[in-house]
Amino acid sequence: MSSSTAPTAAPAVIELRGVSKIFRTADHTDRAVLEGVDLTLRQGEIVAMLGKSGSGKSTLLRIMAGLVGTDRGEVRFRGERLAGTAEGIAMVFQSFALFPWLTVQQNVELGLEAQGVDKEERTRRAEAAIDMIGLSGFNSALPRELSGGMRQRVGIARAMVTEPDLLLMDEAFSALDVLTGETLRDEMLDLWEDGRTNIKCILIVSHNIEEAVMMADRIVILSSDPGRIRAEVRVPFARPRNRDSTQVRALIDEVYALMTSPAALGPRVPALAAASQIGYRLPDADISQMEAILDLLCESPFFGRADLPHLADEAGLTDDELLPACEALQLVQLATIERGDIIATPLGRTYYETEPPERKVLFGKQLLEHVALAAHIRRELEETEDGEIGEEHVLRELEAYLKPDEAERVLTLAIEWGRYGEIYEYSYNSGMLTLPREEQAEGTAGGEG
């Protein structure tokens, strides 16, 4: 397999034309998860797909696998319209998705059995795939007897044994420790480069920018709400690539800049829209992580401004941890992000220099000013007679904007952030949100007077 970018004249393996996917909210409003996606994957290329939460990466992958249908547009595989699953498309999942009661050999044979391949041929091909992926001698082992890396090798062997034209990899290395993930990624690239598989094309959905640059010939970046392709980056370097080379680092910086630019966040840019939209997808960021990043940013060697890849290395965080935390800092205006750099705002520097009790007050003030959901909860609490509302009430309001599981995730974050900022309290036993006790006491005293 050529190590250079596949030429645009290469035959198309799969084509998406105007693909859209809609979900219906609790108030019967249609909202797009994906909108107008055009994408062609060609023979001889590895393509990586990046995008934040809400960009529809996994939904798009499942549409390409034939597991989910489109609401608009079409998918063509080998020139024919795709309707349901198809032989020639295989998928590797983040969760390994092995049957725990089956041996390695039996798990790998499953896809062949579904295709009606006879027993003798299944055995031969499964043994060859297990050997190819470095698990020779473990044929009779059960998944529980294997490490995470070995279990993912089984998942890859199960996909490869069917000799697919298109291999889809959904965060395939993210559940593994860094070293195991890198080793398995490099072995996959060796198999690809040596032409030891019949795979024509690989699509990797990832949250790891460096992984995308090291593996792919082309990187596709999705915007969010709804998911659209907003940028494509060609990777012009032959494999294997040196992650420390100036050119590779520059490309990693470029992709970080694209991933954190306002356009990557879709029409609802945080600084503008979060103030008026309670359904904004809050980034999955922990308060302690946000504060640790801000503290690191304000100290030596950064002194208030850092290159995001450098900050990730210094903090020991993955992109999946770093980028949401940086977005959250930007949301509450403790930092700004420009061209792949994060910069502490004057308020962020003040926050860094402030003691924990005062930090909470400052954080609460920023929530009320810049996070619509937090301000909405606080306002509803102030308008009730007893200063309390149930989380189910807020959840129903959120489900007018978000799918139920996403609404629950966003509300959980808003509760954690609001409790830290002391703008409201929450009882895990009763599921009730309340005004802070001191304010309730003041209100009661005022009423008695």
Side-chain angles (χ1 to χ4, degrees):
M1 191 64 61
S2 170
S3 60
S4 59
T5 302
T8 54
V13 175
I14 193 165
E15 301 169 87
L16 284 69
R17 294 288 172 262
V19 166
S20 297
K21 188 68 183 174
I22 312 295
F23 81 93
R24 180 154 286 191
T25 64
D27 66 351
H28 306 293
T29 303
D30 286 345
R31 293 189 177 272
V33 179
L34 297 166
E35 190 170 87
V37 174
D38 293 324
L39 178 64
T40 299
L41 305 184
R42 299 187 177 278
Q43 188 169 314
E45 68 173 346
I46 299 176
V47 177
M49 185 180 292
L50 300 172
K52 61 164 279 193
S53 173
S55 62
K57 301 188 303 291
S58 292
T59 301
L60 193 58
L61 204 68
R62 278 154 178 74
I63 286 172
M64 296 170 77
L67 299 172
V68 174
T70 66
D71 290 314
R72 288 195 293 271
E74 69 170 5
V75 180
R76 301 188 76 82
F77 175 60
R78 298 170 172 159
E80 299 291 328
R81 185 160 188 156
L82 183 67
T85 57
E87 287 188 22
I89 301 176
M91 193 161 172
V92 180
F93 300 90
Q94 175 186 357
S95 61
F96 315 141
L98 304 180
F99 289 98
W101 59 88
L102 298 181
T103 65
V104 167
Q105 178 82 22
Q106 290 166 332
N107 266 290
V108 174
E109 284 187 23
L110 274 178
L112 296 174
E113 190 173 348
Q115 292 179 1
V117 176
D118 67 68
K119 175 62 179 167
E120 188 176 333
E121 178 69 1
R122 287 204 310 268
T123 301
R124 185 190 66 77
R125 284 170 62 177
E127 285 175 351
I130 290 166
D131 184 51
M132 185 190 302
I133 207 68
L135 282 177
S136 183
F138 289 90
N139 303 54
S140 59
L142 292 168
R144 68 170 181 269
E145 300 171 304
L146 306 177
S147 67
M150 293 168 80
R151 288 199 294 274
Q152 191 58 295
R153 287 174 191 270
V154 178
I156 292 169
R158 183 180 55 193
M160 290 172 59
V161 75
T162 60
E163 300 182 345
D165 285 350
L166 174 63
L167 180 64
L168 304 171
M169 307 189 79
D170 189 8
E171 307 273 13
F173 309 116
S174 65
L176 308 174
D177 65 80
V178 174
L179 188 58
T180 302
E182 285 183 4
T183 300
L184 194 48
R185 183 187 75 197
D186 291 344
E187 289 177 6
M188 279 292 299
L189 287 175
D190 287 343
L191 291 173
W192 171 262
E193 296 290 336
D194 294 347
R196 281 184 279 162
T197 75
N198 291 318
I199 298 166
K200 305 288 192 298
C201 178
I202 300 176
L203 176 68
I204 302 160
V205 167
S206 179
H207 61 253
N208 187 319
I209 292 171
E210 183 175 292
E211 176 180 282
V213 171
M214 294 299 289
M215 290 191 78
D217 300 300
R218 181 161 53 108
I219 299 169
V220 173
I221 298 172
L222 298 184
S223 62
S224 301
D225 291 321
R228 298 186 181 101
I229 293 177
R230 62 165 297 268
E232 286 196 19
V233 179
R234 294 210 166 261
V235 184
F237 317 123
R239 289 183 288 261
R241 295 164 187 163
N242 177 6
R243 66 163 54 85
D244 297 319
S245 76
T246 304
Q247 296 93 332
V248 168
R249 296 314 303 177
L251 189 59
I252 290 171
D253 283 351
E254 180 186 336
V255 178
Y256 265 98
L258 286 168
M259 284 288 292
T260 54
S261 69
L265 304 173
R268 292 193 274 159
V269 181
L272 301 176
S276 60
Q277 179 64 277
I278 70 166
Y280 176 73
R281 292 175 190 269
L282 297 177
D284 213 354
D286 180 76
I287 297 286
S288 60
Q289 210 164 60
M290 291 163 61
E291 291 191 336
I293 287 170
L294 186 63
D295 289 348
L296 185 61
L297 176 63
C298 290
E299 293 167 358
S300 172
F302 300 117
F303 301 111
R305 184 178 189 122
D307 170 66
L308 280 169
H310 188 184
L311 186 67
D313 289 343
E314 198 74 18
L317 296 175
T318 65
D319 294 333
D320 211 26
E321 296 165 328
L322 177 75
L323 295 182
C326 290
E327 184 188 339
L329 288 169
Q330 182 170 241
L331 188 62
V332 294
Q333 300 200 357
L334 298 179
T336 58
I337 298 173
E338 298 174 9
R339 296 184 296 278
D341 284 3
I342 182 168
I343 305 140
T345 62
L347 189 65
R349 291 176 182 274
T350 300
Y351 192 94
Y352 164 70
E353 293 164 358
T354 300
E355 293 301 313
E358 288 76 27
R359 278 189 171 193
K360 291 184 175 186
V361 173
L362 185 53
F363 191 81
K365 178 174 176 290
Q366 293 305 102
L367 282 182
L368 291 173
E369 287 186 19
H370 303 292
V371 178
L373 180 56
H376 176 76
I377 292 170
R378 172 70 190 208
R379 189 163 52 250
E380 288 205 328
L381 287 169
E382 289 172 347
E383 290 171 357
T384 61
E385 287 185 15
D386 54 4
E388 65 177 33
I389 55 175
E391 65 176 327
E392 286 300 322
H393 166 74
V394 184
L395 205 52
R396 282 195 301 274
E397 292 182 306
L398 277 178
E399 286 175 1
Y401 302 88
L402 303 166
K403 290 181 178 178
D405 58 342
E406 185 69 353
E408 195 168 333
R409 182 193 71 81
V410 167
L411 179 56
T412 299
L413 276 168
I415 288 171
E416 289 176 4
W417 293 6
R419 289 179 70 230
Y420 178 78
E422 297 179 342
I423 59 174
Y424 40 75
E425 294 180 3
Y426 173 73
S427 166
Y428 288 97
N429 291 328
S430 66
M432 298 300 289
L433 285 147
T434 59
L435 287 171
R437 283 190 212 97
E438 305 78 27
E439 294 184 41
Q440 288 184 51
E442 287 171 15
T444 303
E448 290 170 353

